[in-house]
Amino acid sequence: MTTPLLTTKLYVPPVRPEMVSRPCLIERLNAGLHRKLTLVSAPAGFGKTTLLSEWASQRVSESAGGRAVAWLSLDEGDNDPARFLAYSVAALETIEAGIGAGALSALQSPQPPPIEAVLTALINEVMAVSQDDREGHPYIIVLDDYHLITAQLVHDALTFLLDHQPPNLHLVVASRMDLPLPLARLRSRGQLTELRAADLRFTPNESAAFLNQVMGLNLSDADMATLEARTEGWIAGLQMAALSMRGRDDLSGFVATLTGSHRYILDYLTEEVLDQQTESIQSFLLETSILDRLSGPLCDAVLRISKPANQRTVDTLTYPLADSKAVLEYLESSNLFVAPLDDERCWYRYHHLFADLLRHHLRQTRASIIPELHRQASAWYGQNGFISKAIDHAIAAGDMGCAARLVEEHNRPTMMRGEVSTVMGWLELFPDEMIRSRPRLSIGCAWGLFLSGQMGAIEPRLRDAETALVGRTTSGSGAQVTGLLGEVATLRSFLLRMQGDPVLSIELAQQAIEQVPEDNLFVRGVLHTSLGGSFKDIGDVARASQSYAEAIPICQAAGNIVAAMLAIHHLVRLLVMQGQLEQAAEVCRQVLKSAGGSGVQGARRMPASGIVCVSLASVLYEWNELEAAEAYLCEGIELSKPGGYFQASVFGQIVLAQVLQALGETKDAADALQKATQSTCDIPPWWYRTELTACQVQLWLAQENLAAASRWAQESGLSPSAALRASAADELGFQDELEYITLARVLITQGRAQPDGTTLYEALRLIERLFQAAESTGRMGHVIELLVLQALTLEIQGDLNRALACLEHALELAEPQGYVRIFADEGEPMARLLWQAAERGIAPGYVSRLRAAFETDEQRSKGAGEKESAPAPLSTGSGQALPPCSPTLIEPLTSRELQVLQLLADGLTYGEIAGQICVGLNTVRTHIKNVYGKLSVHKRSQAIARARELNLL
C-alpha cells in the first residue's frame, strides 16, 4: 500500500523573469557544496525560497541535462518520520529514478522499521551511485520551511543523516529559525555554510533595481534611500510598499509616512494592498487564506462557487460567482504574493508571510465564517483522498465528530502505510474521554500502540473499547460490534502469546476468527499469524504450518507484505522441521518470483523479502549447495537492512556461520555467529535463542573445542534425566527439543573422547526419548537428525549392526528430500559409517553422493589448514620487487580488482566492500568472480594465499 504523495511539494518554485538576480549569494551557495550542510536562516519575507529557487534553476542549466536539485516544501504533516522520509526519497527520485526504492518499500510496511535502518539503506544507495555517473556533481536536496518541523524523531533522523552523510550528497535547509541540530559541531569542523538575515537583505543597489526596474516606480534617489532605510533591505517590506505605491501620484509623500518596526510597516502595507483590490478579490484572498495550497476546484468548494455557464473574465468578476482558477491566474499575473506549485498552473500557494497576515485580517473581520470555510475544505479533501488534510481542517473547524469519523475510517490504511506516528498524532488531538467513549478510536489507538511496540499500554485501551461496546448490539449494529470485539480478542491473543501463554492465546484467536468479518483482511492475517506462532510454541507443528499457510494469502491481499513474508519464513522453517525440503524451497522460489524475478535479484524491491532469501538459503545449505546458499544469505541480509528485519539478520547470520564452516572458513563462521549474537540484543530472548546455541555448540565441536561445549552443557541446566522423566503426554516443545538434541551431541562427543559407558548410555536414552516426541508430531527433520546421532552413538559402543540399521532408516527418510549436510556435518565418524554402509550395499547411489560431499569437505579442510605465511617477494635482477601486474598471471588484475582483493584480505564482508568502494553488492560479486577466475581459485582464503604468492598484497 503506497503513501499518497502531493507532487506539488516536490516542485521547485519557478524563477520570475522580473526577479532581481543575486550573483554574490549564488556564488556562496555554490562554494558551500563541498560542505555537508547549507543553512539559510532568516525571518519571513527575506527571500529565502526565491534565492534558492534561482540557485536551483542555475544548477539545472549547468548540469548538462537532467534535474540537479531535489526540492521538498515541508508542512506540519511531515512531522511523522515515515512521511518525512517518504517525501525525501520521492524528492531524490526526481533526480535519480529508482534511488531509495528499498528504503521507501520498508517505510510503507505496517510495522515501521527503525528510522536509522531506513536511513542507512538510503545512504548506501546514494553512496553506490558512481561519481563518474554524476559527473562530479553531488545530489542536492533542499528542505524548505523546515521551521514547521517540531518532531524530535525527525530532527534525530536529519542528525543521523548529517553524521553519516555520503560525500555525493549535499543538504540545504531553509528555515525561519535555527535548527535543533549539531550546528556548532558542523561549524567547528568547517562543514556548514550559513546565510542569515544580514546576508539576505537587499543592498541599496538591489533595492533600487527592484523598485525601479522590476516594479517600474521610477523613484528618486532620495525616496529610494528613505524606503531602503525604513525597510532595512527587507524584501517583503519593499515588495509590499511597491504594490501600495502603484497608481499613486505622490510617491514621496507615501514614502515619508512609513514609520515603525517591520511588523507595523507590514500591517500597514497589507491594508494598503488589500484596499487597492476589488471587494470580490479581497474576499477571495481572505477566505482562501485558510488553505496552505490552492487550486481552482478546492477554492470553489471552500467558497461554494459554481462556475457560470459562460466563462467570465477576471475584469468582470462578481463575487461569489467567480471562477477560482481565473482568480488565481489573475493574482499570479498581478504579482500578489501567489506562486505556482506545478508547471500546469493547477496548484498555487500564497507567500507564507502574506498568508499569515491575510488570516490575521480574516480573524479580525470575518471570524464567524472561519469554521464553515474549514468544513468545506475538509469535505473537499476527504472526497479527493487527502485524508490527513481533511482531518486537519475538520479539527480547525471545531468539528471533532467529523474528525473522529475520519480517523475511525482511515486510521488502519494510514498505519498500514507505515505512518503510525501520523495516526497517533491525530489521536492526541482528541480528549481522552472522547477516545474512551468511541470504541473504534480506542481500538485504533490499540493498533497504533501494537505497531509501535508499546505493548504495555494496549490492555487499558482494549478495556476502554469493551466498556464502550457494552449494550451496543442493537439491530443493525450487532455485526459491527461483534467485529470490533473480534479485534479486541485479536490484540489480546497476541499479547498473551508475547507473555508466554500460548494455550489461552489460541483460545482467544479461535474465538476472534469467528467474530472478525471475512473482509477485514488485515486483522484476519494477524490472527492466523498469531495462531501459527502459538501452535508452534506448544509443539503442534502441523497446525502451526496450516495457520501460517492460511495467513500468507490473507496478508498479501491486505497489502501487509511484511507480515506475509514473515509468515512465509516461519512456514518454511516448519516445513524444514517436518523434513519437507522440496516444498520449503518451492514456497521460497514462488515468492521471490512473484516479487519480480526468479532469483535473488528479483526480490530487491522489497526489503521484507530478504527473510525469504535467507529461508531459501537454509534449504540450499542442507542440500550442500553452499555457494548458492552464501549468495542468497548475503543478498537477504543486505536486502532486509532497510526494514530493520532482525529475523533476516539473526537467522541469516546463523545459517551463514554454518555455510562458512562447511566451506572451511572457520574464522568467518565465528564472526558471523558473533554478529547474530549481537543482533539478538533488542529482541525477545526466546526468538532464535536455541538455534543460536545449537549452532555455536556445533561449531565448537567441529573445531574440536570440546571444553567450551562441555561448559555450555554444564551451565545450561539441562539433564538427560529431566527429559526422560517427561511422560509421553508431556510433549517436549520445539525449543526444548532442539536444546536437548544439542545436549545429546555434546554427550556423544564426550563419550567418544573418553569412553564412558554411562555417558553414552545417557545419550542413547535421551535420543530415544526425543525420537519418540519428534516422530509422534511429524517433526521428521529432527527424526532424521536423531537417527544419525543414534547411529553414531551405537557405533561408538561397538554395536555396528544396530548403528547401520539406524543409518539405513535415516537414509530412507532423507534421500527423497536430498539431505546432505545433516550427514556431512558429523565429520569423520559419519564418513566411516557411510563407508561401512557402502560395503553392505545400503542405498548405494545416495551413499556415493554423500561420500563425495565428505571428500570435498576434506579438501577444503586441507586447503584452510595450510599456512598462509607470505613468501619472500619475487624480485627482478636489480633486487626490486615485481610490480602488482606480475607476468605470472595470464591476465593482470585491474586497479579496482586489486582494491577488492585487498579488502577481501582485510576481512571485509561483501556488503562492507560495497560500502567502502561505493558500488552495489552485485558489482562486488562480479569483481570477486573476476579475481577468483584470474587467480584460478574458488574461495577467499585461496585467493589471499595465491595473491601473496604473486606479491599482489
Side-chain angles (χ1 to χ4, degrees):
M1 184 173 296
T2 58
T3 303
L5 300 178
L6 288 166
T7 56
T8 55
K9 288 163 62 71
L10 312 177
Y11 184 76
V12 180
V15 178
R16 293 182 177 275
E18 67 274 13
M19 179 197 69
V20 175
S21 182
R22 315 197 71 183
C24 292
L25 295 180
I26 296 294
E27 181 57 32
R28 288 183 62 181
L29 290 171
N30 287 329
L33 285 175
H34 70 281
R35 302 185 177 101
K36 284 189 172 185
L37 173 67
T38 294
L39 174 62
V40 183
S41 178
F46 275 85
K48 300 182 292 295
T49 301
T50 302
L51 171 64
L52 291 175
S53 66
E54 179 190 3
W55 177 60
S57 176
Q58 290 190 16
R59 298 296 303 179
V60 170
S61 64
E62 295 169 2
S63 66
R67 182 166 166 179
V69 179
W71 189 285
L72 173 56
S73 297
L74 297 165
D75 56 40
E76 290 87 347
D78 298 318
N79 279 287
D80 185 305
R83 188 185 184 94
F84 174 83
L85 288 177
Y87 269 112
S88 298
V89 171
L92 278 173
E93 284 189 316
T94 63
I95 302 177
E96 185 79 33
I99 194 168
L104 189 60
S105 176
L107 282 169
Q108 293 171 344
S109 63
Q111 291 86 5
I115 295 300
E116 289 188 0
V118 178
L119 282 169
T120 298
L122 181 60
I123 290 167
N124 289 340
E125 288 194 54
V126 173
M127 278 283 291
V129 178
S130 170
Q131 283 294 303
D132 293 336
D133 295 339
R134 296 285 305 144
E135 297 181 348
H137 299 295
Y139 291 110
I140 301 170
I141 180 167
V142 177
L143 302 177
D144 197 16
D145 296 327
Y146 192 84
H147 55 272
L148 297 174
I149 300 300
T150 58
Q152 187 59 45
L153 285 175
V154 177
H155 299 324
D156 293 344
L158 196 59
T159 299
F160 181 87
L161 179 58
L162 286 167
D163 287 342
H164 303 86
Q165 190 167 324
N168 57 337
L169 178 68
H170 183 76
L171 284 178
V172 180
V173 177
S175 174
R176 293 185 184 179
M177 60 191 71
D178 271 357
L179 316 178
L181 301 175
L183 297 181
R185 186 175 74 218
L186 293 169
R187 192 179 293 119
S188 66
R189 295 177 179 177
Q191 297 173 335
L192 175 65
T193 297
E194 298 176 86
L195 295 180
R196 302 284 180 170
D199 304 301
L200 296 172
R201 297 180 194 277
F202 269 173
T203 65
N205 289 338
E206 288 172 333
S207 297
F210 174 74
L211 293 169
N212 285 345
Q213 297 173 22
V214 174
M215 303 304 292
L217 293 176
N218 296 318
L219 293 176
S220 67
D221 291 343
D223 287 341
M224 281 193 296
T226 301
L227 192 55
E228 199 277 333
R230 293 279 171 83
T231 61
E232 298 180 1
W234 184 34
I235 300 171
L238 285 168
Q239 185 175 7
M240 201 70 82
L243 288 171
S244 301
M245 286 187 282
R246 281 180 173 176
R248 291 181 180 271
D249 295 328
D250 186 10
L251 297 183
S252 296
F254 178 84
V255 171
T257 62
L258 288 177
T259 59
S261 68
H262 287 177
R263 169 60 66 181
Y264 291 122
I265 291 175
L266 199 58
D267 284 345
Y268 170 68
L269 293 178
T270 301
E271 292 178 1
E272 288 291 323
V273 171
L274 285 175
D275 286 344
Q276 292 187 34
Q277 309 304 317
T278 65
E279 181 180 349
S280 61
I281 293 296
Q282 288 185 38
S283 295
F284 185 95
L285 290 169
L286 292 173
E287 295 179 18
T288 58
S289 67
I290 66 161
L291 305 170
D292 57 2
R293 282 171 174 75
L294 307 101
S295 72
L298 172 57
C299 292
D300 284 349
V302 169
L303 304 174
R304 290 183 293 181
I305 295 173
S306 298
K307 291 183 182 179
N310 297 319
Q311 184 76 25
R312 300 186 181 206
T313 65
V314 175
D315 295 334
T316 60
L317 286 173
T318 303
Y319 187 82
L321 296 179
D323 176 13
S324 295
K325 186 175 186 301
V327 176
L328 290 169
E329 291 171 352
Y330 164 74
L331 294 175
E332 182 192 4
S333 65
S334 300
N335 200 22
L336 275 173
F337 295 94
V338 176
L341 293 176
D342 54 33
D343 292 322
E344 291 75 28
R345 297 308 201 259
C346 293
W347 286 91
Y348 298 81
R349 71 167 175 84
Y350 291 127
H351 185 287
H352 297 311
L353 192 59
F354 187 56
D356 290 343
L357 292 164
L358 289 175
R359 285 191 284 269
H360 174 71
H361 279 275
L362 179 66
R363 288 190 295 270
Q364 286 186 326
T365 60
R366 309 183 187 192
S368 62
I369 69 169
I370 293 177
E372 181 59 24
L373 294 174
H374 281 294
R375 270 192 288 270
Q376 295 297 328
S378 176
W380 187 90
Y381 275 123
Q383 292 166 5
N384 287 274
F386 300 104
I387 304 305
S388 186
K389 291 291 184 186
I391 293 171
D392 290 342
H393 281 285
I395 292 174
D399 193 342
M400 301 304 288
C402 175
R405 289 190 294 273
L406 286 166
V407 174
E408 287 171 342
E409 183 178 355
H410 295 285
N411 73 81
R412 182 75 48 71
T414 305
M415 285 189 285
M416 286 180 66
R417 293 195 300 268
E419 296 180 27
V420 179
S421 296
T422 294
V423 174
M424 300 306 284
W426 292 339
L427 291 166
E428 288 175 1
L429 299 172
F430 297 103
D432 188 65
E433 184 57 38
M434 187 173 187
I435 295 177
R436 295 175 62 190
S437 67
R438 300 180 75 109
R440 293 178 68 188
L441 284 185
S442 295
I443 293 172
C445 187
W447 278 113
L449 295 167
F450 169 76
L451 292 174
S452 57
Q454 303 177 60
M455 300 301 173
I458 295 176
E459 180 58 34
R461 287 304 181 190
L462 297 181
R463 288 197 294 268
D464 290 341
E466 288 177 318
T467 301
L469 286 168
V470 171
R472 295 198 181 188
T473 55
T474 57
S475 176
S477 63
Q480 293 182 0
V481 171
T482 300
L484 292 174
L485 289 172
E487 292 196 39
V488 171
T490 298
L491 284 162
R492 193 166 280 146
S493 167
F494 193 91
L495 288 178
L496 286 167
R497 188 196 165 209
M498 296 292 290
Q499 294 163 3
D501 192 346
V503 175
L504 189 53
S505 174
I506 291 171
E507 181 181 329
L508 272 179
Q510 291 175 331
Q511 169 189 325
I513 286 177
E514 299 299 322
Q515 296 175 307
V516 176
E518 292 286 342
D519 60 355
N520 195 337
L521 299 177
F522 175 82
V523 176
R524 294 187 72 84
V526 172
L527 264 174
H528 285 284
T529 302
S530 179
L531 266 176
S534 296
F535 279 129
K536 186 185 74 172
D537 291 345
I538 65 173
D540 193 337
V541 176
R543 294 177 74 184
S545 299
Q546 179 183 352
S547 295
Y548 281 127
E550 291 173 349
I552 293 166
I554 296 175
C555 291
Q556 289 173 330
N560 194 347
I561 302 302
V562 175
M565 294 298 179
L566 293 176
I568 290 164
H569 166 62
H570 290 298
L571 174 61
V572 168
R573 293 187 63 206
L574 289 171
L575 289 171
V576 170
M577 195 189 308
Q578 293 170 290
Q580 301 296 323
L581 300 186
E582 292 285 357
Q583 186 178 348
E586 183 60 24
V587 168
C588 294
R589 289 188 181 115
Q590 288 300 320
V591 172
L592 296 180
K593 184 177 180 180
S594 66
S598 59
V600 179
Q601 289 305 309
R604 284 194 64 85
R605 289 184 298 240
M606 298 197 308
S609 59
I611 189 61
V612 182
C613 294
V614 168
S615 302
L616 177 56
S618 69
V619 180
L620 294 172
Y621 166 74
E622 190 54 61
W623 285 338
N624 204 36
E625 297 179 17
L626 300 181
E627 287 76 14
E630 185 180 14
Y632 272 96
L633 285 165
C634 293
E635 189 73 21
I637 292 169
E638 287 296 318
L639 185 63
S640 61
K641 282 182 180 178
Y645 304 123
F646 66 84
Q647 295 89 345
S649 177
V650 178
F651 186 67
Q653 294 289 355
I654 291 172
V655 180
L656 182 59
Q658 295 172 316
V659 170
L660 292 170
Q661 178 64 32
L663 288 169
E665 302 281 359
T666 302
K667 181 181 180 301
D668 289 346
D671 290 344
L673 205 58
Q674 179 62 29
K675 290 179 181 178
T677 303
Q678 293 170 348
S679 299
T680 61
C681 296
D682 299 325
I683 65 175
W686 62 87
W687 286 354
Y688 301 103
R689 175 176 57 85
T690 52
E691 291 93 331
L692 189 59
T693 299
C695 181
Q696 178 64 82
V697 172
Q698 279 192 278
L699 289 189
W700 282 333
L701 295 177
Q703 297 162 14
E704 299 183 356
N705 188 354
L706 180 56
S710 299
R711 187 165 51 252
W712 166 81
Q714 185 176 3
E715 296 173 354
S716 67
L718 301 172
S719 69
S721 58
L724 294 171
R725 283 195 300 269
S727 65
D730 188 14
E731 182 62 55
L732 285 172
F734 164 61
Q735 305 291 353
D736 294 332
E737 184 173 86
L738 189 54
E739 284 193 315
Y740 276 113
I741 290 175
T742 303
L743 176 62
R745 198 181 299 279
V746 176
L747 293 174
I748 294 169
T749 309
Q750 289 173 335
R752 181 182 295 113
Q754 296 178 347
D756 181 347
T758 302
T759 301
L760 292 174
Y761 176 72
E762 286 186 338
L764 197 57
R765 291 187 62 199
L766 175 59
I767 291 168
E768 290 171 349
R769 173 66 183 88
L770 294 171
F771 179 88
Q772 293 171 6
E775 187 179 45
S776 65
T777 55
R779 298 195 284 267
M780 300 311 294
H782 284 179
V783 166
I784 297 170
E785 184 175 8
L786 289 164
L787 285 169
V788 167
L789 295 180
Q790 191 174 31
L792 292 172
T793 308
L794 291 168
E795 190 269 341
I796 298 172
Q797 290 180 324
D799 194 344
L800 183 59
N801 288 332
R802 287 182 62 199
L804 289 174
C806 290
L807 178 59
E808 184 173 11
H809 189 185
L811 293 169
E812 289 173 354
L813 296 174
E815 183 175 12
Q817 296 295 322
Y819 279 91
V820 175
R821 294 312 311 181
I822 205 167
F823 299 98
D825 286 342
E826 302 302 331
E828 180 59 27
M830 177 53 64
R832 290 197 304 268
L833 265 182
L834 287 171
W835 183 84
Q836 293 285 349
E839 287 292 304
R840 299 195 183 188
I842 297 174
Y846 189 30
V847 168
S848 176
R849 178 184 166 199
L850 293 176
R851 292 181 67 190
F854 277 91
E855 292 173 2
T856 303
D857 283 359
E858 185 179 359
Q859 292 170 0
R860 292 194 187 104
S861 179
K862 288 180 179 179
E866 294 174 356
K867 292 184 179 180
E868 295 184 352
S869 58
L874 299 175
S875 64
T876 64
S878 61
Q880 296 178 335
L882 286 172
C885 294
S886 169
T888 307
L889 288 178
I890 296 175
E891 182 182 355
L893 300 181
T894 66
S895 59
R896 178 50 64 90
E897 288 165 356
L898 284 168
Q899 184 183 12
V900 170
L901 176 61
Q902 183 61 59
L903 295 174
L904 282 172
D906 292 341
L908 273 67
T909 66
Y910 288 9
E912 290 168 340
I913 293 173
Q916 188 79 13
I917 64 176
C918 302
V919 298
L921 193 59
N922 285 331
T923 304
V924 170
R925 294 190 183 285
T926 301
H927 287 317
I928 292 174
K929 181 180 178 182
N930 292 339
V931 169
Y932 286 3
K934 291 179 181 181
L935 296 178
S936 299
V937 298
H938 300 287
K939 63 178 184 176
R940 183 192 297 243
S941 60
Q942 295 170 345
I944 296 169
R946 177 66 173 151
R948 285 174 176 163
E949 290 175 6
L950 298 173
N951 197 30
L952 297 177
L953 291 175

